[in-house]
Amino acid sequence: MDPNLSNVDFRDFWQLAPATVLSVWGLVVLLADLALAGRMSAPARRRAIGWLTLAGVALALLAAAGLIQVQQLAKAETQGTPGWLSPSLAEYFSRAGGAIFLGTLSADLQTGVLNVLFIIMLGLVVWQSMAWSFTEDWGEYFALVTWATVGMMLLAASEELVTLFLTLETMTICLYLTTAFEKTRRRSAEGGLKYFVYGSVSSALFLFGLSLLYGLTGTTQFESIREVLASTGPAARGLSGNVTGATALLLMLVGFGFKIAAVPFHQWAPDAYEGAPAPVTAWIATGSKLASFVALMKVFLHALQPWSHPSNELLGPGWLGVIAIVSAVTMTYGNFAALVQRNFKRMLAYSSIANAGYMLVGVAAASVSTRGAEAAGSVLFYLVVYAFANIGAFAVAAWLVRDKKTDDIDDLNGLGMQSPLLAICILVLMLSLIGIPPFAGFFGKLYMFMEAINQQHAKAWPTLMGLVALGLMNSVVSAFYYVRVLKAMFLREPGGSRRLGLAGGSIEIPIVIGTLVAIFFGIYPGRLMSVMQGAAVSMLTTTTSTSGGFASMISAPSGTGYAPLPPAMASAPASPKSTRLDPEQAKKYADRMKKAEAQAKALASPGAQPKNAPPGEAKDALAKKAEAQQEDQ
Amino acid sequence: MASDIPLNWFLYFAAASFSIGLVGVLVRRNAIAVLMAIEIMLNAANVNLVAFWRYRNAPPGAGPLPGVILALFVITVAAAEVAVGIGMILLCYRRWRAADVDRYDSMSG
């Protein structure tokens, strides 16, 4: 159709190595289960297939770590390329920065770090699944969990709306199915159906909003949407000046609201959490939430950022006011509803709703701020800390269901006497979830709320302060229901006809690892925080300040960046790397830019100069590009 | 293109069928009917996407995937959702002997 359309570079598949390994491994697991089905009993198959899946997880972890290593090695020009890479691959990795597959996916440190996190969490979830036999179809179960992870990894890497929608569906369809996997229980099927109905309605709402946004901007690429939206005057932006835009934005917000379980779109969450087998609940509460939040931040803080507060008023015509209200309602409702719950998983579901509210405070802060990347990084930090604590907490639920067949809070009675070490681990997890100082949960909340308070935006400050105050009060409320768990464990006598047996490795290990993460990042929060801020910098490609020390390691935005950044966003200093560009590499870089810009006709004509002076590296590249074109002619 | 059907007509049609789908999801109690209503919503979005693609004025650097490609993918996604949805409804039907979503209320609070 379009002769200028550039071809896909198939070496891009190397950048997707972890996702590829997991997708293929899902098939391997299915086949192995098929082969073993006739010969082994279901519990034996559970262990065999579980270990096989863990082997795949280890392989994927290796691929992800190796990929980061290769990317960093290839970027560090002083060391030269490692000998074991073929020349064509070495050349590919040395110039690959940011976008792959024509700019539809990003492959940089952000995706690398998130991939590693997703894979580690998948490992814990798989391990936890091996605790007891809640189903007989182990091959299908493990394959679906693995493919859901593939969806999450690609969702967190997506750079445009088509990829975003497809990966979101890949993730959630796999999760619908695994929710209904506990065949002996009614509530599992019910939870699965409710999750499915709410989830697919929200997908349809999201898709309709997406189609309107596509109509408004003519593009699906985040960067390009941002440029188009930013190029209109303030009057045409936001919710009041533009009915179609407002509809699109609100529909997309509703879609994401369902995925992250924000009030008033939370109804599915308690039922799905209670109904699903505990490992699946853990995966919905952590992996799916992490991936959805990353996607939400990419769409709202990157693509739709020009519409956040166009008139500089917080409750003016922008999405910021909506997010602020949703955030306030979500954390308050979640915490108060959790107070009255008796089922442990249902309580955690409401606590997860409340946590979504806290994280939306961080999102709101990131959208007004000049320190957007830091604020987004603090949300990521909170998500990671929350995710590991929750995987541990759901392992406790798995333990209860396995031995007592129910998972009420009262079933924990007397655990402190029975297995004191694990009870202390659970104590740490709960204290971290409340946000008590020595543990990581405290620093997660601290960083996020500090970012909200530190915004120097005169009009936004009172509202953000109000949100932070509400968040702190809510943390106090949340202490009550977490303490009920501790009270049951330490102050009550064991009761009931069934007793908890020995935990076993598959339950101990997630609890212990969750505890270690809560303690370790409570004592050393700085390192993870800087990694997460670095990840956020490259997540919001055009973000303003890259002052963090880690930012120099981030690849410079490229590929999708076809036009100069708007002047307000142009304060980012050129990364040290760009000053060291020798002509040969600059030319390669310029060629790459040119490929990505094949359609940029305005810029492609030699006479047309960009309106705004492009900053640092982009400027160099544009100049080199013009030269390269003249050489071509 | 000048003699084509105006873009607005497509948008009115899509908005109307989307609303019909949404009302269907909220009002109908039969699980199969809810599933059909969801399909109507997805297809309304498809009409939008294809119409916008036909009439679009793409900015430079619009990316390799136009709306019509997404519409094709959405058809696939919709098929997957139906397969999963029917499976879930059958699972629930076996337990409750009813396909009525209001009956599935063993959990609440």
Side-chain angles (χ1 to χ4, degrees):
Chain A
M1 188 179 72
D2 189 345
N4 290 328
L5 216 55
S6 47
N7 290 321
V8 172
D9 187 345
F10 284 100
R11 286 173 296 184
D12 285 347
F13 275 108
W14 286 106
Q15 306 264 23
L16 291 184
T20 318
V21 167
L22 281 184
S23 323
V24 173
W25 207 262
L27 294 173
V28 170
V29 165
L30 266 184
L31 285 178
D33 185 59
L34 200 65
L36 295 178
R39 300 175 206 166
M40 280 179 158
S41 64
R45 223 156 16 98
R46 179 188 83 216
R47 277 186 290 276
I49 302 292
W51 283 113
L52 185 67
T53 316
L54 278 181
V57 170
L59 213 61
L61 192 61
L62 212 64
L67 188 65
I68 294 181
Q69 190 65 21
V70 169
Q71 280 170 345
Q72 297 303 330
L73 270 182
K75 292 254 180 288
E77 292 147 35
T78 48
Q79 299 179 5
T81 51
W84 42 268
L85 270 182
S86 74
S88 111
L89 268 186
E91 185 263 348
Y92 169 74
F93 273 110
S94 69
R95 70 182 165 73
I100 54 171
F101 288 113
L102 310 177
T104 56
L105 288 169
S106 65
D108 47 24
L109 204 61
Q110 172 240 335
T111 52
V113 169
L114 287 176
N115 281 351
V116 168
L117 282 172
F118 280 127
I119 294 169
I120 292 174
M121 288 194 270
L122 171 69
L124 292 179
V125 167
V126 168
W127 211 317
Q128 199 174 320
S129 309
M130 289 157 65
W132 86 110
S133 290
F134 50 84
T135 179
E136 292 189 345
D137 307 312
W138 289 105
E140 288 87 340
Y141 171 78
F142 284 121
L144 283 170
V145 172
T146 313
W147 288 331
T149 315
V150 175
M152 289 168 196
M153 286 160 61
L154 296 182
L155 176 58
S158 60
E159 281 293 323
E160 52 99 56
L161 291 168
V162 176
T163 325
L164 183 111
F165 181 75
L166 284 177
T167 49
L168 193 69
E169 287 298 299
T170 312
M171 174 183 87
T172 46
I173 287 180
C174 293
L175 289 176
Y176 302 149
L177 284 168
T178 44
T179 303
F181 246 75
E182 197 166 1
K183 297 243 171 82
T184 53
R185 283 166 185 264
R186 252 189 170 190
R187 60 177 201 179
S188 180
E190 182 187 337
L193 187 68
K194 281 182 177 166
Y195 188 21
F196 166 75
V197 170
Y198 282 112
S200 43
V201 170
S202 80
S203 299
L205 293 169
F206 179 79
L207 183 69
F208 199 74
L210 190 163
S211 74
L212 290 177
L213 188 65
Y214 171 69
L216 280 176
T217 59
T219 170
T220 55
Q221 210 91 20
F222 292 159
E223 180 64 30
S224 187
I225 289 174
R226 181 198 179 94
E227 310 264 344
V228 173
L229 294 185
S231 66
T232 55
R237 294 184 202 168
L239 305 184
S240 61
N242 187 335
V243 180
T244 321
T247 317
L249 203 148
L250 289 178
L251 284 175
M252 294 182 84
L253 194 59
V254 171
F256 276 123
F258 272 106
K259 301 289 178 217
I260 63 171
V263 177
F265 319 113
H266 66 283
Q267 292 94 337
W268 62 272
D271 288 349
Y273 279 41
E274 188 183 341
V280 176
T281 317
W283 206 212
I284 295 173
T286 58
S288 150
K289 191 160 256 191
L290 176 54
S292 303
F293 254 100
V294 171
L296 176 130
M297 288 198 279
K298 278 191 162 182
V299 170
F300 278 84
L301 296 181
H302 185 188
L304 296 176
Q305 215 278 334
W307 275 4
S308 94
H309 54 296
S311 67
N312 276 342
E313 282 180 36
L314 196 64
L315 291 175
W319 52 260
L320 189 53
V322 186
I323 288 256
I325 293 168
V326 168
S327 157
V329 176
T330 302
M331 56 187 164
T332 313
Y333 179 84
N335 277 320
F336 278 93
L339 282 179
V340 296
Q341 299 305 324
R342 299 189 54 218
N343 183 287
F344 185 58
K345 269 154 83 188
R346 212 172 172 81
M347 185 207 88
L348 286 176
Y350 280 107
S351 115
S352 136
I353 293 172
N355 276 296
Y358 299 144
M359 292 176 226
L360 285 177
V361 177
V363 174
S367 75
V368 275
S369 114
T370 49
R371 287 162 53 83
E374 278 84 348
S378 71
V379 177
L380 282 183
F381 178 90
Y382 190 81
L383 272 165
V384 171
V385 167
Y386 158 85
F388 277 99
N390 251 20
I391 288 186
F394 281 111
V396 179
W399 191 7
L400 292 178
V401 171
R402 186 192 69 183
D403 290 347
K404 294 203 171 187
K405 309 294 171 206
T406 53
D407 42 16
D408 289 339
I409 296 175
D410 291 343
D411 290 329
L412 282 166
N413 284 356
L415 189 69
M417 276 72 93
Q418 200 186 329
S419 50
L421 282 179
L422 276 182
I424 287 173
C425 288
I426 299 169
L427 169 79
V428 171
L429 290 178
M430 293 296 144
L431 292 183
S432 176
L433 281 171
I434 300 172
I436 302 279
F439 303 114
F442 168 74
F443 289 98
K445 275 186 187 147
L446 179 75
Y447 282 132
M448 213 160 58
F449 289 160
M450 284 305 284
E451 287 296 338
I453 291 173
N454 281 338
Q455 304 311 324
Q456 300 301 318
H457 198 288
K459 293 248 174 63
W461 197 75
T463 311
L464 284 176
M465 267 311 279
L467 281 180
V468 169
L470 193 63
L472 292 177
M473 281 190 279
N474 268 304
S475 300
V476 177
V477 175
S478 75
F480 283 95
Y481 57 83
Y482 290 125
V483 166
R484 279 174 63 202
V485 174
L486 305 182
K487 191 173 130 197
M489 282 195 309
F490 292 107
L491 298 182
R492 298 219 191 102
E493 292 297 318
S497 53
R498 295 193 171 99
R499 284 178 64 87
L500 282 176
L502 283 177
S506 51
I507 283 170
E508 271 166 13
I509 285 182
I511 296 179
V512 170
I513 288 184
T515 311
L516 289 182
V517 167
I519 293 174
F520 182 79
F521 291 121
I523 299 170
Y524 305 104
R527 181 69 188 145
L528 179 65
M529 190 60 199
S530 64
V531 170
M532 286 299 141
Q533 283 182 347
V537 169
S538 66
M539 184 173 82
L540 316 170
T541 316
T542 50
T543 199
T544 49
S545 83
T546 52
S547 54
F550 206 68
S552 55
M553 284 173 71
I554 309 293
S555 62
S558 69
T560 54
Y562 63 91
L565 307 176
M569 302 294 150
S571 60
S575 64
K577 182 177 159 250
S578 68
T579 57
R580 285 190 273 127
L581 278 180
D582 61 280
E584 189 63 30
Q585 271 156 339
K587 188 160 180 299
K588 275 180 203 159
Y589 187 69
D591 285 342
R592 184 178 156 71
M593 290 284 288
K594 198 173 88 182
K595 241 185 186 177
E597 290 165 16
Q599 292 177 317
K601 294 189 184 80
L603 290 177
S605 65
Q609 287 299 317
K611 282 177 215 153
N612 306 319
E617 186 158 7
K619 189 178 187 174
D620 290 349
L622 280 175
K624 297 283 177 199
K625 189 187 132 228
E627 283 174 25
Q629 276 180 347
Q630 278 166 5
E631 282 174 26
D632 288 348
Q633 287 160 4
Chain B
M1 197 183 282
S3 61
D4 281 357
I5 302 170
L7 175 61
N8 279 354
W9 292 21
F10 289 104
L11 301 189
Y12 291 139
F13 171 67
S17 51
F18 183 77
S19 312
I20 291 170
L22 190 57
V23 170
V25 167
L26 297 175
V27 171
R28 297 304 296 269
R29 299 275 58 107
N30 187 299
I32 303 281
V34 170
L35 200 59
M36 286 159 60
I38 293 170
E39 292 305 302
I40 295 177
M41 290 166 78
L42 288 175
N43 283 332
N46 269 352
V47 171
N48 251 355
L49 284 170
V50 176
F52 279 134
W53 167 74
R54 181 76 171 79
Y55 285 83
R56 79 168 172 166
N57 184 14
L65 298 178
V68 69
I69 301 288
L70 178 55
L72 285 176
F73 278 125
V74 170
I75 294 170
T76 322
V77 167
E81 277 196 348
V82 169
V84 168
I86 296 279
M88 297 251 187
I89 292 169
L90 278 178
L91 194 62
C92 285
Y93 184 81
R94 283 196 199 142
R95 302 282 154 84
W96 276 269
R97 288 281 145 203
D100 185 347
V101 285
D102 283 348
R103 294 276 300 280
Y104 308 147
D105 56 357
S106 66
M107 295 178 284
S108 62

